[in-house]
Amino acid sequence: MAGKDYYAILGVPKSSSQKEIRQAYRRLARQHHPDVNPGDKAAEARFKEINGAYEVLSDSEKRRKYDRYGDKWQYADQFEQAQRQSAGRWSSGRGGAFDFGDINTSGDLGNLFEGILRGFGRRPARQRGGDVQQPVEVTLEEAFHGTTRVLQMERQEPCATCGGRGQLAGATCHVCRGAGAISKPRRLEVKIPPGVRDGSRVRVAGEGAAGPAGAGGLYLVVSVRPHERFERRGDDLYTEVEVPLTDAVLGGEVQVPTLTSRVVLKVPPLTQNGRKIRLGGLGMPRLGGAQTGPDGPPSGGGRPAGGRGDLYARVKVVLPKELSTEERELFEKLRATQKVGPES
Ligand SMILES: [Zn+2]
């Protein structure tokens, strides 16, 4: 570690407690105080040095930075801010803030550090900003029709006034206050195409974190909320449909809800409980293959690539919960018939 060793100046080990540091400082300060050493320039310089070391080591936050970054500790904020900047900071318009502090700090830490010290404009690799992932939750209906989400985001961008250097004509930049970066609010409306699946990634080019060589990508990571009536498997939907006993036995018609309306389902005679009946083309829209294409939102920009999955109605035969006298007699007759049948 180049530069001054504050621990050595105070004559304490790096593992010292705050109390030990304070005690060492008081002892040395008394010893080298200008009042005790009038006219002694060396003592005065030493006194300043001791105070400088104590100022850093007595402050737990400054000490942490010093321990981590050494004599560059004063740039710790800029370094850490740039790490955040490369990851982006997002908040969702639907509430809930997300911090992706760890998503992308690609590249060598040391190089990045050097780059920051020299200013964004001269970072060695001219890196593109990091990709940012934003989780969004949609209902199955929204996944069916497609939807939009408005994202309120805050993006760290290099300060235009000082070119990201934090300094302007030798003074601290008054716009970014030396940080080299300023956060800019942005409002984005993002289209989520029909047919998105749980885990689909919708890419929005150039809306990730800013970087010297352009912004990274923004990915909406879609999760589709479970539906109370429909289960989704790929592009197919499954639903349960109640069929009265008589219709299951003799055949009949029942109404089946779809995601958009209802359809009439013909139940064939002697339909067994649990039978699956396919309703072709009434499932989810098929999403195009290029969900995460290189440029912009999925292909079609909101139109399904073609066709729809199927809807499967799973039959649940419903037995009567009560019987009229007449119905009871009919069931008695039915039973009698069945008992006689095989034996005769
Ligand atoms: Zn600035």
Side-chain angles (χ1 to χ4, degrees):
M1 185 191 298
K4 291 177 178 174
D5 184 341
Y6 292 147
Y7 292 101
I9 289 169
L10 293 183
V12 293
K14 213 178 163 186
S15 57
S16 302
S17 68
Q18 288 302 111
K19 192 183 171 190
E20 286 164 339
I21 287 170
R22 191 168 59 244
Q23 284 168 343
Y25 164 72
R26 283 184 181 159
R27 185 168 37 77
L28 288 169
R30 269 198 301 275
Q31 196 180 329
H32 298 280
H33 200 282
D35 292 351
V36 186
N37 307 278
D40 185 342
K41 290 283 172 203
E44 194 183 317
R46 179 93 172 97
F47 183 72
K48 272 185 187 164
E49 204 176 40
I50 292 160
N51 276 295
Y54 183 65
E55 193 203 318
V56 173
L57 296 187
S58 62
D59 181 316
S60 59
E61 182 59 20
K62 286 179 184 171
R63 186 181 176 187
R64 180 189 70 80
K65 291 172 183 169
Y66 176 72
D67 287 348
R68 182 153 178 206
Y69 301 109
D71 62 333
K72 294 188 179 93
W73 71 272
Q74 282 165 311
Y75 298 99
D77 283 343
Q78 286 174 55
F79 174 60
E80 284 163 10
Q81 184 170 25
Q83 270 189 312
R84 284 196 296 276
Q85 176 217 343
S86 76
R89 265 175 162 270
W90 293 76
S91 65
S92 159
R94 287 201 132 206
F98 302 91
D99 188 348
F100 297 96
D102 290 320
I103 281 186
N104 183 24
T105 48
S106 59
D108 175 57
L109 214 77
N111 280 346
L112 184 57
F113 195 92
E114 292 302 316
I116 288 151
L117 295 182
R118 279 187 248 125
F120 291 100
R122 284 185 287 153
R123 203 187 285 186
R126 287 190 68 81
Q127 293 158 321
R128 217 188 57 168
D131 289 336
V132 172
Q133 303 198 50
Q134 167 74 38
V136 291
E137 194 185 54
V138 299
T139 63
L140 191 60
E141 284 86 352
E142 287 177 315
F144 182 89
H145 293 289
T147 184
T148 57
R149 280 288 185 275
V150 173
L151 305 173
Q152 300 288 349
M153 63 177 251
E154 216 169 74
R155 190 156 81 167
Q156 295 287 328
E157 291 179 2
C159 174
T161 308
C162 62
R165 285 170 195 85
Q167 301 277 317
L168 208 58
T172 302
C173 171
H174 61 282
V175 175
C176 62
R177 291 179 187 155
I182 50 176
S183 70
K184 285 196 174 159
R186 288 169 68 84
R187 184 182 178 279
L188 271 186
E189 194 173 311
V190 184
K191 271 205 173 100
I192 296 170
V196 282
R197 297 184 181 186
D198 201 46
S200 287
R201 278 158 44 102
V202 178
R203 187 178 197 273
V204 186
E207 293 295 346
L218 160 65
Y219 290 92
L220 297 196
V221 183
V222 177
S223 62
V224 181
R225 213 178 296 159
H227 195 279
E228 57 174 11
R229 184 167 264 166
F230 297 99
E231 184 193 334
R232 182 182 188 179
R233 290 187 205 164
D235 295 323
D236 296 334
L237 292 174
Y238 289 75
T239 192
E240 192 176 74
V241 57
E242 296 193 339
V243 178
L245 176 64
T246 44
D247 288 336
V249 173
L250 303 172
E253 290 183 342
V254 291
Q255 295 223 321
V256 179
T258 68
L259 265 178
T260 50
S261 60
R262 301 182 151 266
V263 292
V264 172
L265 172 69
K266 273 193 155 47
V267 179
L270 297 176
T271 290
Q272 302 294 310
N273 190 37
R275 177 173 174 176
K276 273 183 290 193
I277 301 173
R278 181 172 157 270
L279 294 149
L282 293 180
M284 297 293 286
R286 292 191 203 283
L287 186 66
Q291 281 186 48
T292 57
D295 296 300
S299 64
R303 274 173 291 119
R308 283 171 62 178
D310 300 326
L311 172 64
Y312 288 91
R314 201 182 287 122
V315 170
K316 183 189 178 191
V317 177
V318 183
L319 303 182
K321 289 203 172 67
E322 52 189 84
L323 293 174
S324 65
T325 316
E326 194 192 355
E327 283 167 335
R328 184 169 195 89
E329 285 170 8
L330 289 171
F331 269 105
E332 295 282 6
K333 258 188 203 171
L334 180 63
R335 180 160 66 180
T337 323
Q338 285 174 335
K339 270 189 182 162
V340 170
E343 287 164 23
S344 60

